[in-house]
Amino acid sequence: KKNCMSFYEGSKETYGISETVVKLREYDEDDANATLYLRDCPNAKESIDRLLASNEFPWDTVNAVQLELSKVCDDDTVSNVVKRCGKTCKRVNLNAAGSGDIGAVRQFGNLGLMSVAEYLENRLECLELFWNTKITSKGLLSVCRFCNENLKVLNLSGCVQLDDDGVRDISKCLKLRYLDLTRVPKMTNVSLASIVTFCRELEFLSLYANSQLTDKAFERIDGLKNLKVFDACGFNKLTDTTLLKLPNTLRYLNLSWCGSIRDEGVCYVAENCRFLELLSVHGNRNVTEKLITSLKIGQKESKSLRILDIKGCLNVKTNTLEALREFFPNLQSIKFHT
């Protein structure tokens, strides 16, 4: 089995994410009866047309489509696939599929995405669309309309054309556990606040590189009682107000380049999130040695901390791996953000 592109790519660490989510994001290259596996295929359109013409491929048993990093993947290609396996398919990975247009074949956009929504409907549990710069809110609205009942994994990282009209409707997906909205610059506090309010089963929330967001987006984040991973890298407007509301279930917290955060907030997290495995406050000049004191309290029993990035935190004096390991024996690295 192979994991798709993820925040823990190349690592076996899942940071407490449920087995359900982990398995939804895995694709078995060797299970031809259940998976259409064309990851990194140099010409997806040609390969799929050939399979459709042969009448030998077991389309009626396919429950997963893996086209991550495939080339030559346009609207017709996506539509033809989901139309053929629409009665059984539950998972579709189109991460970076068709990126880098070749000749007259253009990367799939809203038409392909709308086909996924309309053919798979509420059978769909996992949809990954990393780095598709053509999809707009029109396509996402279709997904949220037809597939909201069982969707658990949604990866929209790098879908830069999305705006509040589409992002707001993600809040209809009440069973959502994994949401990646990395680099969605047109999204605002309004749409994200709706997601945080209604998607109460979230375990993973990545908002990396969305510096437009503020505390207003997270006023109800204390209601995410299953949240294990929260990535807010680059949120220079985020303050302790949000940190003081973070649930104690967190195991992964990326606050790199969050320059407005101070001791009160980060020390609260350090003491109350007692199973933290990764914490980054990279580049923060407000945080002091109090963070280390609070981590000692929080880690007293679990000793779960493996990665602590305090590079650039000039007021944290205990800052070498050797010194930190005296207090956190399972610490593996003090470098996370590069």
Side-chain angles (χ1 to χ4, degrees), residues 184-219:
V184 182
K186 297 180 181 180
M187 168 181 63
T188 73
N189 289 328
V190 174
S191 58
L192 187 59
S194 183
I195 292 171
V196 170
T197 299
F198 294 103
C199 298
R200 296 308 225 188
E201 295 187 20
L202 279 173
E203 302 173 27
F204 176 105
L205 181 59
S206 178
L207 302 166
Y208 187 104
N210 284 296
S211 60
Q212 74 275 18
L213 299 175
T214 72
D215 292 322
K216 290 184 178 297
F218 306 106
E219 291 178 350

mmCIF file of all heavy atoms in Angstrom, residues 184-219:
data_model
loop_
_atom_site.group_PDB
_atom_site.id
_atom_site.type_symbol
_atom_site.label_atom_id
_atom_site.label_comp_id
_atom_site.label_asym_id
_atom_site.label_seq_id
_atom_site.Cartn_x
_atom_site.Cartn_y
_atom_site.Cartn_z
ATOM 1 N N VAL A 184 -5.139 28.807 0.119
ATOM 2 C CA VAL A 184 -6.404 29.184 -0.534
ATOM 3 C C VAL A 184 -6.623 30.667 -0.209
ATOM 4 O O VAL A 184 -7.384 31.014 0.700
ATOM 5 C CB VAL A 184 -7.575 28.313 -0.031
ATOM 6 C CG1 VAL A 184 -8.872 28.677 -0.745
ATOM 7 C CG2 VAL A 184 -7.269 26.832 -0.259
ATOM 8 N N PRO A 185 -5.950 31.559 -0.919
ATOM 9 C CA PRO A 185 -5.851 32.967 -0.513
ATOM 10 C C PRO A 185 -7.149 33.770 -0.578
ATOM 11 O O PRO A 185 -7.257 34.816 0.072
ATOM 12 C CB PRO A 185 -4.818 33.537 -1.489
ATOM 13 C CG PRO A 185 -4.878 32.642 -2.683
ATOM 14 C CD PRO A 185 -5.153 31.277 -2.129
ATOM 15 N N LYS A 186 -8.152 33.295 -1.338
ATOM 16 C CA LYS A 186 -9.408 34.044 -1.447
ATOM 17 C C LYS A 186 -10.398 33.677 -0.347
ATOM 18 O O LYS A 186 -11.448 34.296 -0.225
ATOM 19 C CB LYS A 186 -10.038 33.810 -2.819
ATOM 20 C CG LYS A 186 -9.184 34.311 -3.984
ATOM 21 C CD LYS A 186 -9.865 34.048 -5.319
ATOM 22 C CE LYS A 186 -9.000 34.516 -6.479
ATOM 23 N NZ LYS A 186 -9.654 34.268 -7.792
ATOM 24 N N MET A 187 -10.066 32.678 0.438
ATOM 25 C CA MET A 187 -10.894 32.271 1.578
ATOM 26 C C MET A 187 -10.779 33.321 2.682
ATOM 27 O O MET A 187 -9.698 33.868 2.930
ATOM 28 C CB MET A 187 -10.405 30.911 2.073
ATOM 29 C CG MET A 187 -10.935 30.461 3.402
ATOM 30 S SD MET A 187 -10.248 28.840 3.854
ATOM 31 C CE MET A 187 -8.486 29.205 3.971
ATOM 32 N N THR A 188 -11.869 33.609 3.391
ATOM 33 C CA THR A 188 -11.837 34.589 4.475
ATOM 34 C C THR A 188 -12.310 33.961 5.789
ATOM 35 O O THR A 188 -12.711 32.800 5.844
ATOM 36 C CB THR A 188 -12.728 35.810 4.165
ATOM 37 O OG1 THR A 188 -14.113 35.433 4.284
ATOM 38 C CG2 THR A 188 -12.458 36.346 2.758
ATOM 39 N N ASN A 189 -12.287 34.760 6.837
ATOM 40 C CA ASN A 189 -12.736 34.307 8.147
ATOM 41 C C ASN A 189 -14.167 33.767 8.121
ATOM 42 O O ASN A 189 -14.496 32.823 8.837
ATOM 43 C CB ASN A 189 -12.691 35.469 9.144
ATOM 44 C CG ASN A 189 -11.288 35.873 9.518
ATOM 45 O OD1 ASN A 189 -10.390 35.043 9.558
ATOM 46 N ND2 ASN A 189 -11.094 37.158 9.798
ATOM 47 N N VAL A 190 -15.002 34.371 7.290
ATOM 48 C CA VAL A 190 -16.429 34.029 7.277
ATOM 49 C C VAL A 190 -16.649 32.562 6.915
ATOM 50 O O VAL A 190 -17.369 31.831 7.619
ATOM 51 C CB VAL A 190 -17.189 34.944 6.292
ATOM 52 C CG1 VAL A 190 -18.648 34.492 6.180
ATOM 53 C CG2 VAL A 190 -17.120 36.390 6.743
ATOM 54 N N SER A 191 -16.039 32.127 5.808
ATOM 55 C CA SER A 191 -16.262 30.753 5.364
ATOM 56 C C SER A 191 -15.602 29.744 6.299
ATOM 57 O O SER A 191 -16.162 28.683 6.602
ATOM 58 C CB SER A 191 -15.761 30.557 3.933
ATOM 59 O OG SER A 191 -14.391 30.865 3.822
ATOM 60 N N LEU A 192 -14.410 30.057 6.782
ATOM 61 C CA LEU A 192 -13.727 29.115 7.662
ATOM 62 C C LEU A 192 -14.438 29.002 9.008
ATOM 63 O O LEU A 192 -14.534 27.908 9.575
ATOM 64 C CB LEU A 192 -12.274 29.532 7.866
ATOM 65 C CG LEU A 192 -11.448 28.499 8.642
ATOM 66 C CD1 LEU A 192 -11.435 27.156 7.914
ATOM 67 C CD2 LEU A 192 -10.024 28.979 8.858
ATOM 68 N N ALA A 193 -14.964 30.102 9.498
ATOM 69 C CA ALA A 193 -15.705 30.061 10.758
ATOM 70 C C ALA A 193 -16.906 29.125 10.656
ATOM 71 O O ALA A 193 -17.244 28.416 11.619
ATOM 72 C CB ALA A 193 -16.162 31.466 11.141
ATOM 73 N N SER A 194 -17.534 29.090 9.485
ATOM 74 C CA SER A 194 -18.668 28.195 9.276
ATOM 75 C C SER A 194 -18.224 26.734 9.343
ATOM 76 O O SER A 194 -18.899 25.892 9.941
ATOM 77 C CB SER A 194 -19.315 28.493 7.920
ATOM 78 O OG SER A 194 -20.458 27.689 7.721
ATOM 79 N N ILE A 195 -17.067 26.425 8.749
ATOM 80 C CA ILE A 195 -16.525 25.056 8.787
ATOM 81 C C ILE A 195 -16.207 24.654 10.225
ATOM 82 O O ILE A 195 -16.567 23.560 10.681
ATOM 83 C CB ILE A 195 -15.271 24.962 7.908
ATOM 84 C CG1 ILE A 195 -15.635 25.130 6.433
ATOM 85 C CG2 ILE A 195 -14.556 23.631 8.123
ATOM 86 C CD1 ILE A 195 -14.437 25.277 5.515
ATOM 87 N N VAL A 196 -15.527 25.525 10.937
ATOM 88 C CA VAL A 196 -15.147 25.233 12.322
ATOM 89 C C VAL A 196 -16.388 25.021 13.200
ATOM 90 O O VAL A 196 -16.385 24.196 14.119
ATOM 91 C CB VAL A 196 -14.263 26.371 12.880
ATOM 92 C CG1 VAL A 196 -14.065 26.220 14.386
ATOM 93 C CG2 VAL A 196 -12.914 26.398 12.165
ATOM 94 N N THR A 197 -17.442 25.726 12.894
ATOM 95 C CA THR A 197 -18.674 25.622 13.678
ATOM 96 C C THR A 197 -19.414 24.318 13.439
ATOM 97 O O THR A 197 -19.919 23.693 14.390
ATOM 98 C CB THR A 197 -19.612 26.811 13.359
ATOM 99 O OG1 THR A 197 -18.959 28.036 13.708
ATOM 100 C CG2 THR A 197 -20.918 26.694 14.127
ATOM 101 N N PHE A 198 -19.481 23.866 12.185
ATOM 102 C CA PHE A 198 -20.352 22.745 11.845
ATOM 103 C C PHE A 198 -19.632 21.410 11.600
ATOM 104 O O PHE A 198 -20.230 20.348 11.775
ATOM 105 C CB PHE A 198 -21.197 23.096 10.625
ATOM 106 C CG PHE A 198 -22.188 24.197 10.879
ATOM 107 C CD1 PHE A 198 -21.957 25.479 10.419
ATOM 108 C CD2 PHE A 198 -23.336 23.947 11.615
ATOM 109 C CE1 PHE A 198 -22.868 26.506 10.665
ATOM 110 C CE2 PHE A 198 -24.254 24.959 11.868
ATOM 111 C CZ PHE A 198 -24.015 26.245 11.398
ATOM 112 N N CYS A 199 -18.371 21.441 11.208
ATOM 113 C CA CYS A 199 -17.640 20.186 10.932
ATOM 114 C C CYS A 199 -16.973 19.703 12.214
ATOM 115 O O CYS A 199 -15.747 19.778 12.370
ATOM 116 C CB CYS A 199 -16.624 20.397 9.812
ATOM 117 S SG CYS A 199 -17.373 20.855 8.235
ATOM 118 N N ARG A 200 -17.763 19.188 13.131
ATOM 119 C CA ARG A 200 -17.307 18.895 14.482
ATOM 120 C C ARG A 200 -16.472 17.631 14.593
ATOM 121 O O ARG A 200 -15.900 17.366 15.654
ATOM 122 C CB ARG A 200 -18.509 18.784 15.419
ATOM 123 C CG ARG A 200 -19.306 20.065 15.581
ATOM 124 C CD ARG A 200 -18.423 21.222 15.960
ATOM 125 N NE ARG A 200 -18.983 22.025 17.028
ATOM 126 C CZ ARG A 200 -18.483 23.184 17.433
ATOM 127 N NH1 ARG A 200 -17.395 23.659 16.843
ATOM 128 N NH2 ARG A 200 -19.014 23.860 18.420
ATOM 129 N N GLU A 201 -16.403 16.834 13.540
ATOM 130 C CA GLU A 201 -15.628 15.598 13.609
ATOM 131 C C GLU A 201 -14.202 15.759 13.076
ATOM 132 O O GLU A 201 -13.456 14.781 13.003
ATOM 133 C CB GLU A 201 -16.352 14.485 12.842
ATOM 134 C CG GLU A 201 -17.682 14.096 13.457
ATOM 135 C CD GLU A 201 -18.310 12.883 12.806
ATOM 136 O OE1 GLU A 201 -17.576 12.114 12.143
ATOM 137 O OE2 GLU A 201 -19.528 12.699 12.952
ATOM 138 N N LEU A 202 -13.799 16.967 12.740
ATOM 139 C CA LEU A 202 -12.469 17.200 12.176
ATOM 140 C C LEU A 202 -11.356 16.702 13.100
ATOM 141 O O LEU A 202 -11.329 17.012 14.286
ATOM 142 C CB LEU A 202 -12.258 18.689 11.883
ATOM 143 C CG LEU A 202 -12.847 19.225 10.586
ATOM 144 C CD1 LEU A 202 -12.708 20.747 10.526
ATOM 145 C CD2 LEU A 202 -12.178 18.590 9.366
ATOM 146 N N GLU A 203 -10.439 15.937 12.507
ATOM 147 C CA GLU A 203 -9.234 15.487 13.200
ATOM 148 C C GLU A 203 -8.006 16.216 12.663
ATOM 149 O O GLU A 203 -7.017 16.388 13.376
ATOM 150 C CB GLU A 203 -9.035 13.983 12.979
ATOM 151 C CG GLU A 203 -10.187 13.113 13.429
ATOM 152 C CD GLU A 203 -9.980 11.663 13.009
ATOM 153 O OE1 GLU A 203 -8.818 11.241 12.856
ATOM 154 O OE2 GLU A 203 -10.982 10.944 12.830
ATOM 155 N N PHE A 204 -8.075 16.607 11.419
ATOM 156 C CA PHE A 204 -6.941 17.219 10.714
ATOM 157 C C PHE A 204 -7.425 18.492 10.050
ATOM 158 O O PHE A 204 -8.384 18.467 9.272
ATOM 159 C CB PHE A 204 -6.409 16.238 9.671
ATOM 160 C CG PHE A 204 -5.287 16.766 8.796
ATOM 161 C CD1 PHE A 204 -3.973 16.349 9.012
ATOM 162 C CD2 PHE A 204 -5.546 17.643 7.759
ATOM 163 C CE1 PHE A 204 -2.943 16.831 8.203
ATOM 164 C CE2 PHE A 204 -4.515 18.130 6.954
ATOM 165 C CZ PHE A 204 -3.217 17.717 7.173
ATOM 166 N N LEU A 205 -6.756 19.614 10.347
ATOM 167 C CA LEU A 205 -7.100 20.888 9.725
ATOM 168 C C LEU A 205 -5.813 21.625 9.378
ATOM 169 O O LEU A 205 -5.113 22.126 10.251
ATOM 170 C CB LEU A 205 -7.959 21.739 10.667
ATOM 171 C CG LEU A 205 -8.421 23.102 10.131
ATOM 172 C CD1 LEU A 205 -9.239 22.951 8.852
ATOM 173 C CD2 LEU A 205 -9.220 23.851 11.191
ATOM 174 N N SER A 206 -5.496 21.650 8.090
ATOM 175 C CA SER A 206 -4.299 22.359 7.633
ATOM 176 C C SER A 206 -4.708 23.626 6.900
ATOM 177 O O SER A 206 -5.445 23.580 5.907
ATOM 178 C CB SER A 206 -3.454 21.486 6.703
ATOM 179 O OG SER A 206 -2.325 22.221 6.250
ATOM 180 N N LEU A 207 -4.207 24.751 7.404
ATOM 181 C CA LEU A 207 -4.498 26.058 6.824
ATOM 182 C C LEU A 207 -3.206 26.801 6.497
ATOM 183 O O LEU A 207 -3.183 28.022 6.422
ATOM 184 C CB LEU A 207 -5.352 26.869 7.801
ATOM 185 C CG LEU A 207 -6.679 26.207 8.190
ATOM 186 C CD1 LEU A 207 -7.286 26.888 9.404
ATOM 187 C CD2 LEU A 207 -7.649 26.239 7.025
ATOM 188 N N TYR A 208 -2.159 26.058 6.308
ATOM 189 C CA TYR A 208 -0.820 26.588 6.044
ATOM 190 C C TYR A 208 -0.866 27.693 4.979
ATOM 191 O O TYR A 208 -1.527 27.574 3.955
ATOM 192 C CB TYR A 208 0.041 25.421 5.558
ATOM 193 C CG TYR A 208 1.512 25.685 5.362
ATOM 194 C CD1 TYR A 208 2.443 25.219 6.283
ATOM 195 C CD2 TYR A 208 1.984 26.362 4.249
ATOM 196 C CE1 TYR A 208 3.801 25.417 6.099
ATOM 197 C CE2 TYR A 208 3.342 26.585 4.058
ATOM 198 C CZ TYR A 208 4.241 26.106 4.984
ATOM 199 O OH TYR A 208 5.596 26.313 4.789
ATOM 200 N N ALA A 209 -0.161 28.780 5.254
ATOM 201 C CA ALA A 209 0.021 29.874 4.286
ATOM 202 C C ALA A 209 -1.288 30.560 3.910
ATOM 203 O O ALA A 209 -1.550 30.845 2.741
ATOM 204 C CB ALA A 209 0.736 29.367 3.043
ATOM 205 N N ASN A 210 -2.100 30.841 4.918
ATOM 206 C CA ASN A 210 -3.310 31.650 4.720
ATOM 207 C C ASN A 210 -3.261 32.823 5.692
ATOM 208 O O ASN A 210 -4.054 32.902 6.639
ATOM 209 C CB ASN A 210 -4.571 30.812 4.947
ATOM 210 C CG ASN A 210 -4.868 29.888 3.795
ATOM 211 O OD1 ASN A 210 -5.149 30.321 2.671
ATOM 212 N ND2 ASN A 210 -4.799 28.588 4.039
ATOM 213 N N SER A 211 -2.339 33.717 5.460
ATOM 214 C CA SER A 211 -2.073 34.794 6.417
ATOM 215 C C SER A 211 -3.223 35.785 6.537
ATOM 216 O O SER A 211 -3.212 36.643 7.437
ATOM 217 C CB SER A 211 -0.794 35.546 6.006
ATOM 218 O OG SER A 211 -0.932 36.114 4.708
ATOM 219 N N GLN A 212 -4.224 35.674 5.653
ATOM 220 C CA GLN A 212 -5.367 36.580 5.722
ATOM 221 C C GLN A 212 -6.299 36.263 6.893
ATOM 222 O O GLN A 212 -7.113 37.083 7.294
ATOM 223 C CB GLN A 212 -6.163 36.523 4.399
ATOM 224 C CG GLN A 212 -6.995 35.258 4.182
ATOM 225 C CD GLN A 212 -6.208 34.106 3.572
ATOM 226 O OE1 GLN A 212 -4.981 34.093 3.602
ATOM 227 N NE2 GLN A 212 -6.909 33.138 3.009
ATOM 228 N N LEU A 213 -6.174 35.062 7.462
ATOM 229 C CA LEU A 213 -7.088 34.630 8.521
ATOM 230 C C LEU A 213 -6.707 35.218 9.881
ATOM 231 O O LEU A 213 -5.539 35.431 10.181
ATOM 232 C CB LEU A 213 -7.102 33.106 8.596
ATOM 233 C CG LEU A 213 -7.571 32.389 7.324
ATOM 234 C CD1 LEU A 213 -7.418 30.885 7.483
ATOM 235 C CD2 LEU A 213 -9.009 32.750 6.980
ATOM 236 N N THR A 214 -7.721 35.438 10.703
ATOM 237 C CA THR A 214 -7.505 35.998 12.042
ATOM 238 C C THR A 214 -8.251 35.159 13.084
ATOM 239 O O THR A 214 -8.883 34.154 12.770
ATOM 240 C CB THR A 214 -8.014 37.459 12.126
ATOM 241 O OG1 THR A 214 -9.455 37.454 12.109
ATOM 242 C CG2 THR A 214 -7.514 38.289 10.949
ATOM 243 N N ASP A 215 -8.222 35.618 14.326
ATOM 244 C CA ASP A 215 -8.906 34.916 15.417
ATOM 245 C C ASP A 215 -10.395 34.735 15.165
ATOM 246 O O ASP A 215 -11.003 33.789 15.676
ATOM 247 C CB ASP A 215 -8.724 35.687 16.734
ATOM 248 C CG ASP A 215 -7.287 35.678 17.223
ATOM 249 O OD1 ASP A 215 -6.620 34.640 17.066
ATOM 250 O OD2 ASP A 215 -6.850 36.705 17.771
ATOM 251 N N LYS A 216 -10.997 35.610 14.378
ATOM 252 C CA LYS A 216 -12.438 35.534 14.127
ATOM 253 C C LYS A 216 -12.849 34.209 13.483
ATOM 254 O O LYS A 216 -13.985 33.750 13.652
ATOM 255 C CB LYS A 216 -12.888 36.703 13.260
ATOM 256 C CG LYS A 216 -12.858 38.058 13.955
ATOM 257 C CD LYS A 216 -13.411 39.148 13.073
ATOM 258 C CE LYS A 216 -13.432 40.490 13.792
ATOM 259 N NZ LYS A 216 -14.327 40.489 14.966
ATOM 260 N N ALA A 217 -11.927 33.601 12.744
ATOM 261 C CA ALA A 217 -12.241 32.329 12.090
ATOM 262 C C ALA A 217 -12.329 31.182 13.081
ATOM 263 O O ALA A 217 -12.913 30.128 12.775
ATOM 264 C CB ALA A 217 -11.192 32.020 11.024
ATOM 265 N N PHE A 218 -11.784 31.358 14.281
ATOM 266 C CA PHE A 218 -11.610 30.235 15.212
ATOM 267 C C PHE A 218 -12.353 30.406 16.531
ATOM 268 O O PHE A 218 -12.013 29.779 17.526
ATOM 269 C CB PHE A 218 -10.113 30.044 15.476
ATOM 270 C CG PHE A 218 -9.306 29.878 14.222
ATOM 271 C CD1 PHE A 218 -8.498 30.904 13.760
ATOM 272 C CD2 PHE A 218 -9.386 28.706 13.480
ATOM 273 C CE1 PHE A 218 -7.760 30.763 12.599
ATOM 274 C CE2 PHE A 218 -8.659 28.554 12.314
ATOM 275 C CZ PHE A 218 -7.846 29.583 11.856
ATOM 276 N N GLU A 219 -13.372 31.224 16.537
ATOM 277 C CA GLU A 219 -14.093 31.496 17.780
ATOM 278 C C GLU A 219 -14.757 30.247 18.352
ATOM 279 O O GLU A 219 -14.982 30.151 19.556
ATOM 280 C CB GLU A 219 -15.129 32.596 17.550
ATOM 281 C CG GLU A 219 -14.489 33.966 17.306
ATOM 282 C CD GLU A 219 -15.509 35.055 17.029
ATOM 283 O OE1 GLU A 219 -16.706 34.717 16.844
ATOM 284 O OE2 GLU A 219 -15.116 36.242 16.990
#
